[in-house]
Amino acid sequence: MPIGEKVLYQDTAQPVLPAQPVSPARFDGAPARRADKPAPPPPLQQTVTPMGEAPPVPPSQGPPPVPGSKLPLGMLLKIGIGVGVFFLLLFLVVALILPRFSKPPASQHVTLTYWGLWEDSAIMQPLIDGFERSHPNISITYLKQDPNQYLDRVTTRIKNGTGPDIFRFHNSWMPVLSGSLLPFSKDTLTTAQFGKDFYPVMQTDLVRNGAIYGVPLELDTLSLFVNTDILKSAGVTAPKTWTDFVSDAKAMTVKNQDGTIKTAGAAMGTFDNVEHAPDILSMLFAQQGVEMSRFAASRQDVTDALTFYTSFAKGQDNVWDQNLDNSLSAFAKGNLAMYFGYSWDILALKAMRPDLQFAIYPVPSLYGRGMSVASYWVEGVSATTRHPKEALAFMKYLTQKDTEQTFYSATVNSGRLVGEPYARQDLAPLLKDNPLAFVFVDQGKDAISSYFIAKTSDGDHGINSIVNTYLGNAVRSILGDTSPESAATTLIDGVSKTLASYGQQ
């Protein structure tokens, strides 16, 4: 084709080259048009391009490329959406589908330390074995503690973070342990279920501000032990009221010619040689209408109870005195007709006198109120445990019927004549045919708790020891001719001060 000849470009077989920048000089060698002269309009019918030059792309053929990219915007949007969908599907696979086919990691093995007081490991092990079988990732190490200064030791160790995960405590220690116990979670035990399964006194003792702080494995109530041989020889029956009790005590008392007591009718009236003297006085306070929460407002009732109690050791008609043996020893020797004690006293009595014949009855009633005193031990969780979930799982296990039955059987198999009485109300009927055991749980429905409790191993500065010191001084002062009214005033002032220091009044 001759150079410079113009033709319409129609050869679509050849590739379209990108448009080149327009230079000031024409490709055909013609001089550039002056800038001050307007360019003539382009032809309306056709566009003629030089040979080898690609025709310009009309604006209507699509969006311009994204700056920095050679791909159209529409295609980039499609690619972006596709990538987003891909990553969304990948997330769903990783988060929802793969975990169903992967094996979960094994639970970390946890070892809990459990401090007990009275039972040997042989008794506790069947109970612990049952829990470990159902919780293979948890082990429990049981350690029987020395009762001496136990309360001081456990509170100190818990406070500095070196104490046990689980520990035993007395029901009267709740004010002392307010900062040492972990409240139960709702999935461990609800207050409604606790109220249904356990005795009312336990709800009063162990539920604070809607939370539960312990699980009892046993219940014990103060009961009346009667020497059946002495009872029969005196021709009397076991007393049901305090009027009957006074009459029977006098009838069964035998004195020497010099007026000293040979066989005592009842261990009442003194403090230092009467086993469980604080507990007996607690029972009298309760039946008289005294409540620990209003102890300071019960001056006359406290006075009347002290007067009645000390009357058994005063005057010529006394049935007990300060010169006699300890009441437990006297009862074992057959020198005492009536003795107030708990289920664990049966072991001590049988150890001292295997052939001793006695029966156990409910405590006498006053004004129709036969309330006894509950003294029992509770399992709780340390507030500083590093394994609260696992420790609370053990608490839940302890509340079950089978667990308590296992515990009772283990205590019986250890050689005890009577196992530790059940803490659950619905298990009480299982002891109905056992005359030595049933009375302790049968009195549970009306039992009360008290800070005047002996033999709790709370140390010299525990709440029981402090209030019992005031109580002992009151009894001794009355026997030394101080008026009951004056003794009661001193007692009330000392006890009220002590309870206030624990936030109880």
Side-chain angles (χ1 to χ4, degrees), residues 251-434:
M252 291 187 286
T253 298
V254 178
K255 294 185 177 182
N256 298 313
Q257 290 184 350
D258 60 357
T260 58
I261 297 174
K262 179 180 180 180
T263 301
M268 293 272 286
T270 64
F271 195 85
D272 299 304
N273 62 343
V274 173
E275 199 85 354
H276 312 303
D279 311 59
I280 299 170
L281 279 158
S282 293
M283 170 185 59
L284 293 176
F285 288 148
Q287 292 189 9
Q288 189 67 30
V290 178
E291 297 178 12
M292 292 306 298
S293 60
R294 50 184 291 272
F295 196 75
S298 308
R299 191 174 304 273
Q300 188 58 52
D301 290 331
V302 171
T303 300
D304 291 345
L306 288 172
T307 301
F308 177 72
Y309 179 79
T310 53
S311 68
F312 288 88
K314 296 185 70 174
Q316 293 184 348
D317 291 335
N318 66 314
V319 299
W320 184 259
D321 65 39
Q322 301 179 78
N323 300 316
L324 296 172
D325 289 339
N326 172 274
S327 60
L328 179 65
S329 177
F331 191 79
K333 293 175 181 178
N335 298 329
L336 173 62
M338 292 187 291
Y339 165 88
F340 288 100
Y342 293 97
S343 69
W344 69 78
D345 290 321
I346 297 175
L347 283 71
L349 291 171
K350 285 298 184 179
M352 290 186 283
R353 179 83 177 274
D355 62 340
L356 181 66
Q357 299 299 309
F358 61 89
I360 304 177
Y361 299 92
V363 297
S365 63
L366 180 67
Y367 310 132
R369 293 193 290 260
M371 293 178 290
S372 183
V373 175
S375 179
Y376 59 95
W377 296 88
V378 187
E379 319 306 303
V381 176
S382 166
T384 58
T385 178
R386 289 175 293 177
H387 309 292
K389 180 179 178 181
E390 291 79 6
L392 289 176
F394 186 62
M395 293 297 104
K396 186 173 184 177
Y397 167 79
L398 294 182
T399 67
Q400 299 172 5
K401 276 183 170 183
D402 292 346
T403 304
E404 286 213 8
Q405 289 178 287
T406 298
F407 180 65
Y408 181 83
S409 298
T411 58
V412 171
N413 294 336
S414 67
R416 291 179 55 140
L417 184 62
V418 175
E420 297 190 35
Y422 294 118
R424 286 182 60 112
Q425 298 187 87
D426 51 5
L427 292 176
L430 298 180
L431 301 178
K432 199 165 188 178
D433 295 331
N434 189 328

Side-chain angles (χ1 to χ4, degrees), residues 87-104:
F87 281 107
L88 176 62
L89 293 175
L90 181 63
F91 170 80
L92 293 175
V93 170
V94 173
L96 302 178
I97 299 177
L98 288 182
R100 298 185 180 183
F101 297 95
S102 61
K103 184 178 180 180

Side-chain angles (χ1 to χ4, degrees), residues 79 90 109 156 197 228 369:
I79 293 174
L90 181 63
H109 192 88
T156 301
D197 294 340
T228 53
R369 293 193 290 260

Side-chain angles (χ1 to χ4, degrees), residues 23-238:
S23 63
R26 294 285 302 273
F27 284 99
D28 55 3
R33 186 180 301 274
R34 288 177 55 184
D36 56 348
K37 289 187 178 183
L44 297 178
Q45 300 296 325
Q46 63 182 9
T47 300
V48 179
T49 60
M51 179 180 177
E53 185 177 350
V57 179
S60 61
Q61 289 185 0
V66 177
S69 171
K70 297 182 179 181
L71 296 176
L73 179 60
M75 183 175 294
L76 287 175
L77 290 175
K78 290 180 181 180
I79 293 174
I81 293 173
V83 171
V85 171
F86 170 79
F87 281 107
L88 176 62
L89 293 175
L90 181 63
F91 170 80
L92 293 175
V93 170
V94 173
L96 302 178
I97 299 177
L98 288 182
R100 298 185 180 183
F101 297 95
S102 61
K103 184 178 180 180
S107 300
Q108 181 181 4
H109 192 88
V110 169
T111 298
L112 302 175
T113 302
Y114 178 10
W115 280 14
L117 265 178
W118 314 113
E119 293 80 16
D120 294 331
S121 297
I123 294 177
M124 301 303 298
Q125 202 56 48
L127 182 148
I128 293 172
D129 289 342
F131 175 76
E132 291 179 345
R133 281 194 296 270
S134 59
H135 298 79
N137 64 314
I138 305 174
S139 296
I140 296 179
T141 301
Y142 177 80
L143 300 173
K144 182 181 178 181
Q145 295 295 301
D146 183 350
N148 290 326
Q149 304 298 322
Y150 170 75
L151 179 56
D152 289 339
R153 185 165 64 257
V154 74
T155 52
T156 301
R157 292 283 295 274
I158 289 174
K159 185 177 181 179
N160 62 31
T162 62
D165 299 288
I166 301 161
F167 67 101
R168 175 164 290 195
F169 64 94
H170 193 264
N171 65 293
S172 64
W173 292 352
M174 279 297 293
V176 184
L177 296 172
S178 59
S180 300
L181 288 165
L182 182 73
F184 290 7
S185 58
K186 299 291 185 182
D187 58 345
T188 301
L189 183 65
T190 64
T191 54
Q193 191 64 43
F194 187 79
K196 177 182 177 183
D197 294 340
F198 297 91
Y199 290 92
V201 65
M202 296 172 176
Q203 300 171 53
T204 302
D205 293 340
L206 303 176
V207 178
R208 294 284 191 275
N209 299 319
I212 304 167
Y213 285 86
V215 174
L217 282 176
E218 51 87 31
L219 170 71
D220 227 326
T221 58
L222 192 70
S223 301
L224 178 62
F225 290 58
V226 178
N227 184 306
T228 53
D229 291 337
I230 299 176
L231 188 75
K232 184 179 179 180
S233 65
V236 296
T237 58

